[in-house]
Amino acid sequence: MPDDACNSAASGETYDAVVIGAGPSGSLAALLLARAGHRVMQVERQRFPRAKVCGCCLNQRAQQLLDRAGLLQGLRSLRACPTDRLRLHSSGRRLSISMPGGLAISRRAMDQWLAETAAAAGVQFVDECTAEVLPEECDSNAATQHQFPAVRRIRIESSTGSRVISAKVVLVCDGLGHPSVAGLPGFQSAPRADARIGLGAVLTTAESANWLASGDILMAAATGGYCGAVRTEDGSVNLAAAVDPAAIQSAGGPRQCLQQIFRESGVQVPQELETVSLRGTVPLTRRSLRITGPRLLLLGDAAGYVEPFTGEGMAWGLTAATLAAPLASSGIRAGWTTALQRQYERQLRTAVVSEQTVCRTLSWILSRPRVLQLTVAAAALLPAVAGMLVRRVNRIPISLESRR
Ligand SMILES: Cc1cc2nc3c(=O)[nH]c(=O)nc-3n(C[C@H](O)[C@H](O)[C@H](O)COP(=O)(O)OP(=O)(O)OC[C@H]3O[C@@H](n4cnc5c(N)ncnc54)[C@H](O)[C@@H]3O)c2cc1C
C-alpha cells in the first residue's frame, strides 16, 4: 500500500460510497445513497457549473425517473422549455414527428442544480478534482466474497496535490471511456472503428433564437453526420452533433462540417455558426467490457455508449442510478458479493441495453443517406410507426415499473 493510502486511512477519510462524476447518473446515485443514510463523497473533474456536449433533451422516461425521486418540480422551476415536435430534415425533405412531453434544459443549469440538490441531501461534493480508482489484487482474479478488500482506494488529484481516500463502494459515473477505471484490468473501453465524435455549441443571438421555433427539436441529417438543435431555458439555441471524423477533415474543420450538414439537409445555416466557439468529445460509440468489479459499479455513459437519438442518454443514466443505488446500499450494509454485481449486470441489461436497439437502428439509418431518404418517405406515409418508435424509447422499462 503506498504511503498516501496509509495516511488516508489514518486520517479517517473512508466513505460509504464515492461517486465519480457529476453528470445526471452520478448526481442522482449520490443523492439516493445520501437519502438512504450513507456517507457519500462525489468527485468531479471539471469546475462546476460546466457546459457539456449534449442535445439537452429530456425525454419522458428521464422526467418520470426524476419525478420518482421527487425532483421534477425542481427541474421545472429552472424554466426548462417544453418540446413537442421533432423536425427531421434530410436532402431537402422534411418529416415532422409528434413527440409531446419533452423538456429542453442546458446541461450547465441541470447538472449544477442536480449536484446542489445532492449536496443539500448530505453529499460531500468536490469539483476540480480528478479521481482514479487504484488497482487491487482481486481485480485480476475472479473474487469470491471473502477475497474482496474491505474498502476500495481512490486517488484524488487537484491543483493543490493528491490524496487517497477509501470507500466501501465506488460508483463510476465519469462518462465516455470511464477514465477513472481505464487502468484496471478488463476495464478498457475501445471506441468502435466507425465511431463518430460529438460537437456542441450554444447560439445566443436574437437571430439564432428566431431561427428555431420554441418547442421544436430540429434534426439535420446528412452524409457526414447529424446535428440537433433545441431552445433551452434562457432562449439560447443548443447545437449537438455526431459527425464522422473523416467528414470534418474533408470539410476543412468542425465548423465547416456543421455548416455542410445544415446545407446538405436543406436547413438554412445560422450565421452565428461562423464565430461561435465549439466543443468536441472523444469518439462516441463504444462498449465497456466490464461494468462491475469488486466494490465497483459503472453507470451511464461509463457503462457503454450508443448514440442517442433525442433524449435517451440521460434517461439511461438515470435508470442506471435508480438500479445501482439500492444495490450499492445493500453492499455497504451487508457486505459486497459477486451476486450483487451479477444482479446489477442483469438489471441494467434488461432495463437499458435491450432498449438501446432502437437507437442503434436509428443511428445506423442516420449514417446512411439513401436508407434515411427511404425511411423519411416511409415514415411520412406511416406516421403511426414513427410514433410507436418514439413511445418505445420513452417508456419506463417494466423491470423498473414493478419496483414502484
Ligand atoms: C452529440 C450528443 C447529443 C446528445 N443528446 C442527448 C439528448 O438530447 N438527451 C439525452 O438524454 N442525452 C443526450 N446525449 C447523451 C448524454 O449527454 C449522456 O448520455 C449523459 O450525459 C450521460 O450522463 P453521465 O452522468 O453518465 O455522464 P456525463 O454527463 O458525461 O458526466 C460525467 C462527468 O464525469 C466527470 N469526470 C470524467 N472523468 C472524471 C474523473 N476521472 N474524475 C472525476 N470526474 C470525472 C466529467 O467531467 C463529467 O462531468 C447526447 C450526447 C452527445 C454526444
Side-chain angles (χ1 to χ4, degrees), residues 186-197:
F187 280 92
Q188 296 74 17
S189 152
R192 252 181 30 189
D194 61 349
R196 292 177 153 174
I197 64 158

Side-chain angles (χ1 to χ4, degrees), residues 52-53 176-177 189-192 194-199 226 241-243 280-287 301 304-308:
K52 165 162 187 339
V53 176
L176 288 170
S189 152
R192 252 181 30 189
D194 61 349
R196 292 177 153 174
I197 64 158
L199 291 176
Y226 54 92
V243 296
T281 70
V282 294
L284 296 172
T285 304
R286 53 182 72 227
R287 203 162 73 92
D301 283 4
Y305 188 86
V306 174
E307 274 177 32

Side-chain angles (χ1 to χ4, degrees), residues 256-305:
Q256 293 83 345
C257 182
L258 289 180
Q259 289 168 330
Q260 193 166 318
I261 289 175
F262 283 124
R263 266 194 302 270
E264 211 183 289
S265 61
V267 175
Q268 188 200 334
V269 183
Q271 253 191 359
E272 198 181 338
L273 201 48
E274 285 282 347
T275 49
V276 74
S277 58
L278 298 177
R279 294 174 171 274
T281 70
V282 294
L284 296 172
T285 304
R286 53 182 72 227
R287 203 162 73 92
S288 296
L289 296 180
R290 291 183 68 180
I291 59 165
T292 65
R295 299 189 178 279
L296 277 183
L297 300 177
L298 272 60
L299 283 67
D301 283 4
Y305 188 86

